[in-house]
Amino acid sequence: MTSFAPLHNDTFLRACLGQATEHTPVWLMRQAGRYLPEYCATRARAGSFMGLATNVQYATEVTLQPLERYPLDAAILFSDILTVPDAMGLGLSFAQGEGPKFAQVVRDEAAVARLAVPDMDRLRYVFDAVTSIRKALNGRVPLIGFSGSPFTLACYMVEGGGSDDYRHVKTLMYARPDLMHRLLTVNADAVAQYLNAQIDAGAQAVMVFDSWGGVLADGAFQTFSLAYTARVLGQLKRTGADGQVVPRIVFTKGGGLWLSDMAALDCDVLGLDWTVNLGTARRMLTQIAQNATTLIAAGACPASAGGQNDATSRHPKALQGNIDPNVLFAPPEAIRAEVRRVLDSFGRPHSDPAVPGSTHIFNLGHGISQHTPPEHVAHLVDEVHRHSRLLRARSA
Amino acid sequence: MTSFAPLHNDTFLRACLGQATEHTPVWLMRQAGRYLPEYCATRARAGSFMGLATNVQYATEVTLQPLERYPLDAAILFSDILTVPDAMGLGLSFAQGEGPKFAQVVRDEAAVARLAVPDMDRLRYVFDAVTSIRKALNGRVPLIGFSGSPFTLACYMVEGGGSDDYRHVKTLMYARPDLMHRLLTVNADAVAQYLNAQIDAGAQAVMVFDSWGGVLADGAFQTFSLAYTARVLGQLKRTGADGQVVPRIVFTKGGGLWLSDMAALDCDVLGLDWTVNLGTARRMLTQIAQNATTLIAAGACPASAGGQNDATSRHPKALQGNIDPNVLFAPPEAIRAEVRRVLDSFGRPHSDPAVPGSTHIFNLGHGISQHTPPEHVAHLVDEVHRHSRLLRARSA
């Protein structure tokens, strides 16, 4: 077993677990990416996107690049969400200037029948990158591993790439729900193995990106996305090789309407996009946690044996998000004002070190745009730290 | 003044106003469109999309085509949502196989300063089409007029066409909110004049399509979309030339999280996409209407003088929607099952003829796909009528 350096900045991990922190931790979805010239330089050396993602040295390099520029509170593995279906043999490629494409699409009974959880050895390059990055971080900030959700992977597998209308995946879902359930079961079990292997390799938190769950109808979301995210979570290791708890984050873009359903997931953090009011979401989750506590106290349902983070835990799930990435195109003062607005909308920070409470991890509501001026990001990160300390000073 | 034939099927209009009906009325967004071979034939004769939309005879022909196939309860003007910015002189065109494009984009102070409410004579072809369609309908079903919302029009005007990320319009909004407010003010006043002229020409209901309001952040939606939809509604005529009340429908795609804000709009119907649970929405709107009634009864706020349909009215707004258009790709029995699920999710139909109540107008949650098999639509419409009558028989 690899041993890693002790963690210097655990603000992010503590906030994930509902613990009070000195400032609101911040990281950015897709923080290692095309808006950074140094990323583009590495990618040019790698020759292609998959050349970048499959090379441990390059993946390590680009993961650390944003940390050199900004005092971010977490790093996230540089990889692609489609590595798992690629390992299933569907043939992933990225045409220049276009999105991902699969050589084979999964739209009929025979194609679904051929699917199986891939040998994790085919994803060894990802796990090696996790270990390499964790070493290179040297305890600076925690490393987040991730995967696409079973439904989000299914979208790409059935559509064969990106989509405007999700016509093929929804046709399969409405016409042959049996095939869709089989496909999602394979995906969920593959994602669980994939995340567990990342945890073993050194990931200190894991995030499930349900990027496309929000395109589903009410009812279909619960049946075809949420249930399979839950199936993933049910199989995940609770601690890493170092014995530390590994927090789990679930983010459904466009999932704000289903927050009360998501509150029942066995995870620590829910990611929110910019359409959701953080204060409203916080009150709802706090109410749900209080109701659960009351039921436990009344003996109506058992307190959970399995850790502190399931649906019956006594503190609300942490919230992660949710500024619109397009704010980063405004001038610095406008960016700072919007950062304050988002922090203020969450409200008074949890500040009691004795008990876990309702916490916030600052992030974008979706990945950063490739057109973002890098110097603008510095203003965002600085204002999160500055204003969130001020809010704590005011609360004290 | 033109006089029109008396209306034979007023189910849709009654449901808009909260009145009990014998069945749940149904119409489909984009019901006149490319999925119909007869539409494609007319379009081929017209030579182009704008050739079709600007020709009164063709617009009349295609508006009536779906009514020949299906027993729909309303017709909707065939037109494009971008006629208003086109009349402002921005130069709308449709390249083959691509979306709309404007020759001029509105991204700076000078371009915004040049904008003005266009002379409605430049949109005469739309109003002529409304009168022509109303005559051709001959009282069969009511005719719905429509416009894009001020914010949705702004998206196209600033982006210059469709967009994946709304980067330019959001940049303008966050960087120069003053310019955005001026642009939206012009749009709102233009849309109000445009809809009033449609009402004068014979439209029996009007709908505001806020197709892109849902891409905004919480807070920004209320400030930059909802407020300007409200500005439109505040200027609309309440009755048509024939003295009949003209119901107003507002649909924000992706706006489900803001339903309680939208409940305060001075309109009769709220459109919902498929992410919203109709039963939950109905309960929320019923609660809001009851609270308003209680406040009126207690003398805490005045009962409205201006018609029955503002925020303080005593019956909840009607709901319109919300099946996923992709359901239409499933086999007939699956379509019928999903139709029943949507009708059942709304719940027991309002059935008291003596008082207005909570009503439902069946629709898709977004426009019908061009790939839809036309014969599948017949199953949807039939099942709405069949099952909604059954629900009424059960309730009685």
Side-chain angles (χ1 to χ4, degrees):
Chain A
M1 198 198 103
T2 323
S3 84
F4 300 111
L7 192 55
H8 305 305
N9 175 359
D10 64 351
T11 314
F12 166 77
L13 290 182
R14 283 190 287 135
C16 284
L17 299 174
Q19 296 167 20
T21 56
E22 302 70 41
H23 65 263
T24 300
V26 53
W27 69 277
L28 306 178
M29 288 191 269
R30 227 185 288 155
Q31 63 191 19
R34 281 186 286 178
Y35 73 106
L36 291 176
E38 57 270 33
Y39 169 92
C40 295
T42 308
R43 181 170 164 169
R45 279 191 284 131
S48 69
F49 179 81
M50 283 308 279
L52 186 59
T54 57
N55 179 297
V56 169
Q57 186 50 49
Y58 289 144
T60 304
E61 194 173 302
V62 299
T63 300
L64 268 69
Q65 285 168 348
L67 302 171
E68 296 301 318
R69 282 189 181 252
Y70 321 113
L72 296 159
D73 295 293
I76 182 161
L77 164 70
F78 179 83
S79 189
D80 190 79
I81 62 165
L82 298 181
T83 50
V84 170
D86 182 54
M88 289 175 180
L90 301 184
L92 177 64
S93 64
F94 291 81
Q96 192 64 39
E98 286 177 48
K101 285 263 174 256
F102 281 113
Q104 288 170 55
V105 295
V106 182
R107 290 188 193 162
D108 58 23
E109 186 144 11
V112 172
R114 277 194 298 272
L115 291 176
V117 174
D119 184 339
M120 287 295 136
D121 261 350
R122 302 192 63 173
L123 293 155
R124 177 61 45 204
Y125 66 93
V126 175
F127 315 133
D128 288 346
V130 168
T131 303
S132 164
I133 296 163
R134 174 92 185 257
K135 283 182 186 162
L137 282 169
N138 199 28
R140 199 158 150 185
V141 292
L143 174 60
I144 306 166
F146 75 92
S147 172
S149 73
F151 176 74
T152 294
L153 300 183
C155 285
Y156 287 100
M157 293 159 73
V158 180
E159 300 291 337
S163 175
D164 282 342
D165 57 7
Y166 302 91
R167 177 159 59 98
H168 298 291
V169 69
K170 287 185 172 181
T171 299
L172 185 68
M173 182 180 89
Y174 285 118
R176 290 294 305 270
D178 58 321
L179 297 184
M180 193 68 186
H181 281 297
R182 159 142 169 84
L183 194 171
L184 291 165
T185 301
V186 173
N187 282 2
D189 296 349
V191 166
Q193 288 193 26
Y194 184 58
L195 289 175
N196 278 335
Q198 291 184 38
I199 292 170
D200 286 343
Q204 290 155 287
V206 288
M207 177 155 166
V208 176
F209 284 82
D210 188 24
S211 308
W212 301 121
V215 307
L216 287 170
D218 181 65
F221 168 75
Q222 290 82 348
T223 305
F224 294 99
S225 181
L226 191 68
Y228 290 92
T229 297
R231 185 178 171 108
V232 172
L233 295 170
Q235 298 178 58
L236 289 192
K237 303 185 176 209
R238 298 205 168 254
T239 55
D242 54 6
Q244 299 294 306
V245 171
V246 178
R248 305 112 172 259
I249 312 169
V250 174
F251 171 52
T252 296
K253 176 142 195 296
L257 280 164
W258 301 308
L259 198 59
S260 63
D261 295 303
M262 299 183 73
L265 284 174
D266 184 12
C267 68
D268 307 277
V269 186
L270 292 176
L272 299 173
D273 68 31
W274 53 82
T275 60
V276 180
N277 182 288
L278 286 180
T280 307
R282 182 189 196 182
R283 281 189 295 277
M284 181 190 285
L285 292 180
T286 301
Q287 189 62 55
I288 289 170
Q290 280 169 355
N291 291 349
T293 305
T294 308
L295 288 169
I296 293 166
C301 64
S304 164
Q308 58 191 313
N309 303 309
D310 73 8
T312 55
S313 71
R314 279 156 215 186
H315 66 90
K317 292 188 198 313
L319 294 174
Q320 178 172 281
N322 70 343
I323 202 166
D324 187 335
N326 289 288
V327 166
L328 287 166
F329 296 112
E333 275 318 305
I335 295 170
R336 287 178 180 268
E338 286 295 319
V339 166
R340 291 193 296 273
R341 209 184 56 75
V342 169
L343 286 166
D344 292 349
S345 75
F346 181 79
R348 211 170 119 157
H350 170 61
S351 58
D352 183 349
V355 290
S358 169
T359 52
H360 178 207
I361 296 148
F362 198 98
N363 207 315
L364 309 178
H366 196 43
I368 193 167
S369 163
Q370 60 171 305
H371 305 289
T372 307
E375 65 277 16
H376 283 192
V377 176
H379 289 280
L380 180 145
V381 173
D382 182 67
E383 191 66 17
V384 172
H385 286 158
R386 197 195 66 78
H387 187 66
S388 71
R389 286 180 202 276
L390 194 68
L391 286 175
R392 283 161 175 80
R394 274 189 208 152
S395 301
Chain B
M1 199 199 105
T2 323
S3 85
F4 299 111
L7 191 57
H8 303 305
N9 174 358
D10 65 351
T11 314
F12 166 77
L13 291 182
R14 283 191 286 135
C16 285
L17 300 174
Q19 296 166 19
T21 56
E22 301 70 39
H23 65 263
T24 300
V26 53
W27 67 278
L28 307 178
M29 289 191 270
R30 227 186 286 157
Q31 64 192 21
R34 281 187 286 178
Y35 73 107
L36 292 176
E38 56 270 33
Y39 169 93
C40 295
T42 308
R43 182 171 164 169
R45 279 189 284 130
S48 70
F49 179 80
M50 283 308 279
L52 186 60
T54 57
N55 178 297
V56 169
Q57 185 50 48
Y58 289 144
T60 304
E61 192 173 305
V62 298
T63 300
L64 268 69
Q65 284 168 350
L67 302 173
E68 296 301 320
R69 281 187 181 255
Y70 321 113
L72 296 159
D73 294 292
I76 182 162
L77 165 70
F78 179 82
S79 189
D80 190 77
I81 63 164
L82 298 180
T83 51
V84 169
D86 182 55
M88 288 174 179
L90 301 183
L92 177 64
S93 64
F94 291 81
Q96 192 62 40
E98 287 177 48
K101 284 266 174 255
F102 281 112
Q104 289 171 54
V105 295
V106 182
R107 290 187 193 163
D108 58 23
E109 186 144 10
V112 172
R114 276 194 298 274
L115 291 176
V117 174
D119 184 338
M120 288 294 136
D121 262 351
R122 300 192 64 174
L123 293 156
R124 177 60 46 203
Y125 66 91
V126 176
F127 315 133
D128 288 346
V130 168
T131 303
S132 164
I133 296 162
R134 174 91 185 258
K135 281 183 189 164
L137 282 170
N138 198 28
R140 199 157 149 186
V141 290
L143 174 60
I144 306 167
F146 74 93
S147 172
S149 74
F151 176 74
T152 295
L153 299 183
C155 285
Y156 287 100
M157 293 159 73
V158 180
E159 300 290 337
S163 175
D164 280 342
D165 57 7
Y166 302 90
R167 177 159 59 98
H168 297 292
V169 69
K170 288 185 173 182
T171 300
L172 185 69
M173 183 180 86
Y174 285 118
R176 290 295 306 270
D178 57 320
L179 297 183
M180 193 67 187
H181 281 297
R182 160 144 169 81
L183 194 171
L184 291 166
T185 301
V186 173
N187 281 3
D189 296 349
V191 167
Q193 287 193 25
Y194 183 57
L195 289 175
N196 278 335
Q198 290 185 39
I199 292 170
D200 286 344
Q204 290 155 287
V206 289
M207 177 155 167
V208 176
F209 283 82
D210 189 24
S211 309
W212 301 120
V215 306
L216 288 170
D218 181 64
F221 169 74
Q222 290 82 348
T223 305
F224 294 100
S225 181
L226 191 68
Y228 290 92
T229 297
R231 186 179 170 108
V232 172
L233 295 171
Q235 298 178 58
L236 289 191
K237 303 185 174 206
R238 298 208 166 251
T239 54
D242 55 6
Q244 298 296 306
V245 171
V246 177
R248 305 109 171 262
I249 311 169
V250 173
F251 171 52
T252 295
K253 176 141 196 297
L257 280 164
W258 301 308
L259 198 60
S260 64
D261 295 302
M262 298 183 74
L265 285 174
D266 184 13
C267 69
D268 307 278
V269 185
L270 292 176
L272 300 173
D273 68 31
W274 55 82
T275 61
V276 180
N277 181 288
L278 285 181
T280 307
R282 183 188 195 182
R283 281 189 294 278
M284 180 190 287
L285 292 181
T286 301
Q287 188 62 56
I288 289 171
Q290 279 169 355
N291 291 348
T293 305
T294 308
L295 288 169
I296 292 166
C301 65
S304 164
Q308 58 191 310
N309 305 308
D310 72 8
T312 55
S313 72
R314 279 153 215 187
H315 66 91
K317 291 189 197 315
L319 294 174
Q320 178 173 281
N322 70 345
I323 203 166
D324 188 335
N326 288 288
V327 166
L328 287 166
F329 295 113
E333 275 318 304
I335 295 170
R336 288 179 179 268
E338 285 295 318
V339 166
R340 291 194 296 273
R341 210 186 53 77
V342 169
L343 286 166
D344 293 348
S345 75
F346 181 80
R348 210 170 119 157
H350 170 62
S351 58
D352 183 347
V355 291
S358 170
T359 51
H360 177 209
I361 296 148
F362 198 98
N363 206 317
L364 309 178
H366 197 42
I368 193 166
S369 164
Q370 60 171 306
H371 305 289
T372 307
E375 65 277 16
H376 284 191
V377 176
H379 288 281
L380 179 145
V381 173
D382 182 65
E383 190 67 16
V384 173
H385 286 159
R386 197 195 65 78
H387 188 66
S388 71
R389 285 179 202 276
L390 193 68
L391 287 175
R392 282 162 175 80
R394 275 190 209 151
S395 301

